[in-house]
């Protein structure tokens, strides 16, 4: 997202050097056929080396895109660059690996974008605070300086929401963009912020360095439900509705691959998952592989096992957007997501679904 967590620059450079991520051209805009008639899809992720976004690359490394007959060319947004969802909406790429809430924001702006498969039921974020901050909930944000990935990002929206839920106005605390990884850690270490909202593996690095602890858990479905009043659908695959309607067979192939990946995640350990990811994702300047595995074990509960949008999730997301003032008009939630592709993917493979699906009203 210039609206989701930023990537770790060093990891990104390593990934690009390894060829794990394909650079996206600025004028892709449509599916093309590669050799053998296999459709090619350009998918940009809002931080491909983040644990919250690991399914996209994992599907590639497991060979699932190829298995289901689609050539998915992955790329990742970069700090200061175009956000994944914006690149998708403008036609630079076909799909975005980004948070579901953007579909609501786009609709409010008159743009038709939909979520075709839901990968997580929680943001995967934690509010990491210094011990002297005294923060244990949004009620304690008053008078504090809080770090977010960047202003206008998903972490910014969530920070404002946690405060509003406790009656604290945005004018009563200060928000600044601190990025993620080393820059977020430095902000805590140097006293620039009292807290920072961030994801794994930055969370693990902060804990290991002893510069902050988890004050609010939004990293698991259970934690998100406790803090936000319901499951908060985050990582997903977004695409323009007109593009989806024109490429339904291709969309189904992408969803087939990712649903298979979610079942694989659900049935394998954090160590198994880490072993299938690029080395630079799981061991870098922030964390060791052991740290990464420990963190993933702790927060693995954010991932949904079947790609189904959970009941109540869209309503929670809409309530968040409304409470912070991002959306003021009416929203037709039925046009922001579809479970059709995920339901078909599970049916085709004989997978058992356990997520209660959201209805048309969310």
């Amino acid at each position: 997202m210039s609206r989701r967590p930023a990537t770790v620059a060093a990891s990104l450079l390593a990934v690009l050097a390894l060829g794990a991520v394909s650079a996206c051209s600025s004028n892709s805009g449509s599916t093309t056929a590669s050799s053998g008639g296999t459709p090619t899809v350009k998918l940009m992720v809002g931080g491909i080396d983040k644990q919250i976004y690991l399914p996209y690359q994992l599907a590639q490394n497991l060979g699932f895109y190829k298995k289901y007959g689609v050539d998915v060319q992955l790329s990742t947004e970069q700090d200061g660059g175009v956000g994944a969802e914006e690149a998708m909406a403008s036609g630079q790429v076909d799909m975005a690996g980004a948070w579901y809430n953007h579909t609501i924001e786009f609709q409010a702006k008159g743009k038709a974008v939909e979520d075709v498969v839901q990968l997580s039921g929680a943001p995967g974020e934690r509010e990491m605070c210094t011990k002297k901050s005294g923060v244990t909930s949004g009620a304690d944000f008053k008078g504090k300086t809080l770090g977010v990935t960047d202003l206008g990002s998903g972490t910014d929206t969530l920070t404002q929401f946690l405060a509003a839920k406790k009656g604290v106005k945005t004018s009563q605390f200060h928000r600044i963009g601190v990025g993620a990884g080393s820059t977020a850690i430095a902000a805590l270490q140097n006293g620039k912020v009292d807290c920072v909202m961030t994801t794994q593996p930055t969370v693990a690095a902060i804990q290991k360095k002893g510069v902050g602890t988890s004050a609010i858990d939004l990293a698991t479905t259970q934690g998100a439900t406790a803090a936000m009043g319901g499951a908060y659908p985050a990582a997903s695959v977004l695409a323009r509705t007109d593009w989806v309607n024109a490429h339904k067979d291709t969309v189904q192939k992408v969803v087939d691959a990712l649903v298979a990946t979610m079942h694989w995640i659900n049935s394998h350990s954090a160590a198994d998952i880490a072993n299938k990811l690029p080395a630079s994702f799981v061991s870098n300047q922030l964390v060791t592989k052991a740290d990464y595995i420990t963190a993933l074990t702790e927060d693995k509960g954010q991932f949904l096992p079947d790609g189904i949008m959970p009941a109540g999730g869209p309503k929670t997301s809409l309530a968040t957007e409304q409470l912070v003032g991002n959306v003021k008009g009416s929203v037709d939630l039925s046009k922001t997501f579809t479970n059709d592709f995920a339901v078909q993917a599970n049916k085709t493979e004989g997978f058992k679904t356990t997520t209660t699906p959201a209805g048309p009203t969310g």
Side-chain angles (χ1 to χ4, degrees):
M1 328 184 333
S2 325
R3 315 202 124 223
R4 28 328 61 237
T7 57
V8 178
S11 295
L12 172 58
L13 292 174
V15 171
L16 291 173
L18 289 170
V21 182
S22 301
C24 87
S25 67
S26 62
N27 59 356
S28 69
S30 62
T31 303
T32 58
S34 59
S35 59
T38 301
T40 297
V41 172
K42 291 182 169 62
L43 192 162
M44 181 184 283
V45 182
I48 200 167
D49 57 353
K50 293 296 183 181
Q51 277 194 7
I52 60 171
Y53 289 139
L54 70 82
Y56 311 100
Q57 185 67 49
L58 181 61
Q60 190 81 280
N61 290 13
L62 290 172
F64 285 167
Y65 295 130
K66 182 178 181 180
K67 175 182 177 180
Y68 290 98
V70 61
D71 176 16
V72 174
Q73 298 183 356
L74 295 171
S75 61
T76 188
E77 66 178 51
Q78 301 184 43
D79 290 346
V82 176
E85 76 285 350
E86 294 294 347
M88 172 274 302
S90 65
Q92 295 178 47
V93 295
D94 305 308
M95 292 178 152
W99 285 7
Y100 161 71
N101 68 301
H102 296 301
T103 67
I104 295 173
E105 295 174 351
F106 277 126
Q107 187 180 127
K109 297 174 183 177
K111 297 180 180 180
V113 171
E114 62 188 86
D115 176 341
V116 298
V117 61
Q118 189 59 45
L119 309 184
S120 67
E125 307 280 347
R126 290 181 183 273
E127 191 72 45
M128 302 299 294
C129 302
T130 62
K131 293 181 180 179
K132 66 179 182 179
S133 71
V135 172
T136 59
S137 77
D140 304 314
F141 286 178
K142 189 179 295 185
K144 300 296 191 299
T145 297
L146 307 175
V148 298
T149 306
D150 58 329
L151 296 182
S153 69
T155 55
D156 190 17
T157 297
L158 288 175
T159 297
Q160 294 177 68
F161 178 76
L162 292 174
K165 283 274 285 185
K166 298 296 184 179
V168 179
K169 300 177 180 179
T170 55
S171 61
Q172 295 178 301
F173 60 96
H174 186 50
R175 306 170 348 262
I176 61 173
V178 297
S182 58
T183 55
I185 295 170
L188 279 174
Q189 282 181 315
N190 301 335
K192 188 176 181 180
V193 297
D194 297 290
C195 305
V196 61
M197 185 175 287
T198 191
T199 65
Q200 301 287 10
T202 306
V203 166
I206 289 172
Q207 292 172 325
K208 189 172 184 178
K209 290 176 178 292
V211 297
T213 58
S214 176
I216 303 174
D217 169 23
L218 300 179
T220 63
T221 302
Q222 182 179 5
T225 298
M228 306 182 72
Y232 185 90
S236 63
V237 173
L238 310 182
R240 299 183 311 279
T241 298
D242 62 345
W243 189 88
V244 172
N245 290 337
H247 302 90
K248 288 189 175 181
D249 288 345
T250 299
V251 173
Q252 187 64 63
K253 293 176 187 295
V254 174
V255 175
D256 287 346
L258 285 168
V259 165
T261 301
M262 302 318 292
H263 281 278
W264 195 94
I265 290 172
N266 189 52
S267 59
H268 287 75
S269 69
D272 291 335
I273 296 167
N275 287 337
K276 290 294 184 179
L277 292 171
S280 60
F281 283 29
V282 303
S283 180
N284 49 56
Q285 78 276 19
L286 290 181
V287 292
T288 64
K289 188 172 183 179
D291 293 331
Y292 187 95
I293 291 171
T294 297
L296 182 55
T297 300
E298 183 179 8
D299 292 351
K300 190 165 169 271
Q302 69 189 273
F303 295 114
L304 298 170
D306 44 30
I308 300 289
M309 172 64 78
K315 287 183 178 179
T316 301
S317 189
L318 176 58
T320 303
E321 296 293 323
Q322 291 174 329
L323 191 58
V324 303
N326 286 347
V327 173
K328 297 179 181 179
S330 61
V331 171
D332 183 350
L333 290 175
S334 69
K335 294 181 180 180
T336 63
F337 72 95
T338 176
N339 276 325
D340 292 349
F341 296 106
V343 168
Q344 183 59 49
N346 282 283
K347 182 178 179 181
T348 297
E349 292 299 323
F351 291 136
K352 180 181 179 181
T353 59
T354 56
T355 302
T356 302
T361 60

